[in-house]
Amino acid sequence: MKKIALDIIKKLEIPEVTFADVRITNTDTQSIFFEKGVLKRISTSSDSVAIGIRVLINGSWGFAGTNTLDSTAIDNMLKRALSNARHGNGFRKERVTFPPLKATVSSYQFTPTEDPFLMTDEEKLEYLGKISQMLVGNEKIVFSYLAVMFHRQYKVYANTEGTCADTLVYDTLPSMEVMASDGSQVMSRNYPGHMAARRGGFEVIRNYNFPAHAEEIVKEAVELLSAPTITEEKADLIIKGGHLALQLHESVGHATEADRIFGMEISYAGKTFIKPEMLGNFRYGSDIVNIYSDSTDPRGIGFHPVDDEGVPGRYVDIIKNGILVNQQTSRETAYQLGLEPSSNMKASFADDFPLIRMTNLCIAPGKGTLKDMIRDTENGYLIDFTKTWSIDDNRNNFQFTTEIGWKIKEGRITGIVKEPTYYGITPEFWNSCDRICGPEEWDYFSTFHCGKGEPGQAMHLSHGVAPARFKNVVVNVKA
């Protein structure tokens, strides 16, 4: 695959091409789904190959992709990419430009402890089937599932600047959920949450210790049927990592993707309230809020040696001491904003056009443990496990609901509440953050399902967070 990519690059070293790159991916996936303790489906896709060529001619991009590596298909794709760039010149008002980068040559291979693609299906199904059986049996549990997705991708990237990199990664996403009903309402409990993906193989599932948590979520789902709701109009909220990762994702991550500033991305609530003049002076959060993009950390599934346009992985401060200082950028948008590119251009597969995507977007830890934070909270709620959410087109006004919350009174947890819901405006919410737990509570939470683009792409990415407290948040608009 590497030789194919380099041979294509040689063919693209022609005077009219300002810049060109090639990506090739070979992807294996497997999905296993149990419903009500019974295996419903197992699907496997092996050796799914894709290739994409991107060229820049006279300030206009041309792209073409295919899912075959035979020489005729590649030659046709190359011609189509060149033709697309030439024809695109007639439609662009502003020419794409950016400075060159030094060549990067790199290779990275992740080795899982247990390769799910080398294990037999029988071995995996036996282990997972026992867990799925633990979710049934209670008369109030009306639905349950256990789902696992395995992903392995080998990728080669090369460009006309001399950069060449190949990577092999394994990602695993496991989840289980139960729904309880008393005939008039339905309550759900999920574990480990909706951002449970991790870099790794079958060991990811074992490390989550699903058997120990199966009984717990069944018990909590049933208890939620008779649990009270929050009645206060405003309250202090301690948000645990799994849900805080989604809050970060929706109200900071997508809002600071620079293509949204320039109207390049409109789908999927695709604009942003951020303007170029805000950089360096806009107070996005309180002084303790420090948010950064770090594609150099291999613990997160957003790690890469280079992104999908040849920018080496980087650590970039996005919000520093509460002030918006940078954006997640491409080489094109970085140049437009007077910034250095942040290494955030990614595509799901080689025949997808790369877009500005989150990689490892993180909140820097503060000090202390979750127990310390609870003891320091007079009245409030601890919440986790996302249920529903919505956010407006500008990533400004939002509403989030979690499955469960725990009432805090005088520094102690006194009971559970059902479906805690809170509302906010992005800058006001992050400015209400007055405490963040320390490194001992900090961890990565990751997803396979960040949607963006037309045609749509689903990206794998991570968020590093620790539980944080937000003061005086609106929790009941009907109060």
Side-chain angles (χ1 to χ4, degrees):
M1 286 172 58
K2 189 178 293 187
K3 184 181 184 304
I4 293 173
L6 293 175
D7 286 346
I8 294 171
I9 289 298
K10 287 181 181 179
K11 294 180 180 180
L12 290 168
E13 292 174 345
I14 54 181
E16 68 173 333
V17 174
T18 308
F19 174 88
D21 56 17
V22 177
R23 284 170 295 116
I24 306 175
T25 54
N26 190 329
T27 309
D28 303 312
T29 61
Q30 185 175 61
S31 176
I32 301 172
F33 188 83
F34 285 85
E35 181 181 307
K36 297 182 180 180
V38 177
L39 177 65
K40 284 292 183 179
R41 64 178 180 270
I42 176 170
S43 59
T44 303
S45 173
S46 300
D47 295 324
S48 178
V49 175
I51 181 169
I53 297 174
R54 192 175 63 142
V55 298
L56 185 64
I57 296 176
N58 194 24
S60 178
W61 287 115
F63 176 78
T66 185
N67 58 5
T68 179
L69 296 184
D70 72 72
S71 58
T72 301
I74 290 175
D75 286 342
N76 289 336
M77 178 179 56
L78 192 152
K79 293 175 183 177
R80 193 164 67 252
L82 293 170
S83 176
N84 288 341
R86 293 167 185 141
H87 282 87
N89 286 320
F91 300 92
R92 287 200 68 100
K93 294 181 179 179
E94 297 181 10
R95 302 302 180 190
V96 177
T97 184
F98 49 80
L101 291 173
K102 292 182 179 179
T104 298
V105 178
S106 179
S107 183
Y108 174 78
Q109 178 172 319
F110 179 88
T111 303
T113 304
E114 294 181 272
D115 188 331
F117 297 99
L118 296 180
M119 297 170 65
T120 66
D121 288 343
E122 289 75 16
E123 183 181 359
K124 288 175 280 191
L125 294 176
E126 180 183 7
Y127 184 85
L128 297 171
K130 290 178 180 178
I131 299 170
S132 71
Q133 284 294 319
M134 299 177 69
L135 304 177
V136 300
N138 187 299
E139 62 180 8
K140 290 190 176 180
I141 299 300
V142 295
F143 182 80
S144 66
Y145 75 79
L146 173 68
V148 178
M149 296 178 66
F150 300 110
H151 173 94
R152 175 173 63 187
Q153 186 177 80
Y154 177 68
K155 177 167 66 176
V156 173
Y157 173 87
N159 68 26
T160 49
E161 294 173 333
T163 289
C164 183
D166 68 308
T167 58
L168 175 65
V169 297
Y170 289 74
D171 297 331
T172 297
L173 173 60
S175 181
M176 64 179 177
E177 182 171 318
V178 296
M179 294 183 181
S181 177
D182 58 7
S184 61
Q185 60 179 325
V186 175
M187 293 290 124
S188 62
R189 278 293 290 112
N190 179 281
Y191 177 82
H194 294 287
M195 286 209 168
R198 293 286 187 274
R199 176 123 301 158
F202 201 83
E203 71 274 11
V204 171
I205 300 169
R206 299 193 199 275
N207 291 341
Y208 270 123
N209 196 3
F210 278 81
H213 292 276
E215 183 179 342
E216 175 184 66
I217 66 170
V218 169
K219 179 175 178 291
E220 288 180 342
V222 173
E223 289 176 345
L224 284 171
L225 293 171
S226 57
T229 58
I230 295 176
T231 57
E232 298 99 318
E233 183 177 353
K234 294 184 177 182
D236 296 345
L237 296 181
I238 298 175
I239 305 179
K240 292 185 71 177
H243 180 69
L244 185 58
L246 180 69
Q247 176 73 62
L248 171 67
H249 181 96
E250 299 294 346
S251 62
V252 179
H254 281 308
T256 58
E257 294 167 339
D259 51 354
R260 299 173 187 272
I261 289 179
F262 296 104
M264 300 175 182
E265 168 62 28
I266 298 299
S267 300
Y268 297 104
K271 295 182 285 184
T272 180
F273 68 92
I274 294 173
K275 307 297 181 186
E277 56 268 24
M278 293 181 177
L279 295 178
N281 58 72
F282 180 74
R283 178 158 289 284
Y284 208 108
S286 64
D287 289 340
I288 67 169
V289 174
N290 292 281
I291 296 173
Y292 59 90
S293 175
D294 183 11
S295 51
T296 70
D297 189 347
R299 295 175 298 170
I301 67 177
F303 165 80
H304 54 247
V306 298
D307 72 357
D308 284 349
E309 59 176 6
V311 180
R314 289 191 62 197
Y315 175 105
V316 177
D317 288 315
I318 302 298
I319 296 171
K320 187 69 173 176
N321 299 326
I323 302 300
L324 179 68
V325 296
N326 213 320
Q327 295 283 281
Q328 300 168 91
T329 57
S330 62
R331 294 173 71 167
E332 176 185 354
T333 59
Y335 183 75
Q336 289 176 286
L337 292 168
L339 304 170
E340 293 294 321
S342 64
S343 192
N344 282 94
M345 280 287 272
K346 300 283 285 181
S348 299
F349 303 97
D351 54 355
D352 291 320
F353 193 87
L355 307 170
I356 297 176
R357 305 307 300 263
M358 288 171 259
T359 56
N360 297 327
L361 185 73
C362 309
I363 305 174
K367 296 180 180 179
T369 66
L370 178 59
K371 289 183 179 179
D372 295 334
M373 189 180 291
I374 292 171
R375 281 195 294 266
D376 185 50
T377 301
E378 184 69 19
N379 288 288
Y381 297 89
L382 172 68
I383 65 172
D384 201 7
F385 299 102
T386 306
K387 189 162 190 175
T388 64
W389 74 93
S390 64
I391 192 163
D392 72 11
D393 283 355
N394 287 313
R395 298 282 158 180
N396 205 17
N397 295 279
F398 60 77
Q399 170 187 324
F400 287 87
T401 299
T402 64
E403 291 178 342
I404 190 169
W406 294 265
K407 172 69 176 175
I408 301 171
K409 183 73 173 178
E410 297 177 354
R412 294 174 55 251
I413 290 178
T414 60
I416 65 171
V417 293
K418 69 177 65 172
E419 298 180 332
T421 300
Y422 64 97
Y423 310 81
I425 297 173
T426 292
E428 292 180 4
F429 176 80
W430 288 102
N431 272 280
S432 73
C433 181
D434 79 327
R435 187 164 178 173
I436 302 171
C437 288
E440 62 269 46
E441 303 279 1
W442 193 95
D443 200 0
Y444 273 112
F445 297 83
S446 312
T447 182
F448 281 12
H449 304 304
C450 176
K452 190 174 180 179
E454 290 184 296
Q457 299 181 40
M459 182 55 61
H460 295 201
L461 56 89
S462 290
H463 298 298
V465 298
R469 185 172 65 191
F470 299 83
K471 302 288 287 185
N472 209 30
V473 179
V474 175
V475 292
N476 192 344
V477 295
K478 298 179 181 180

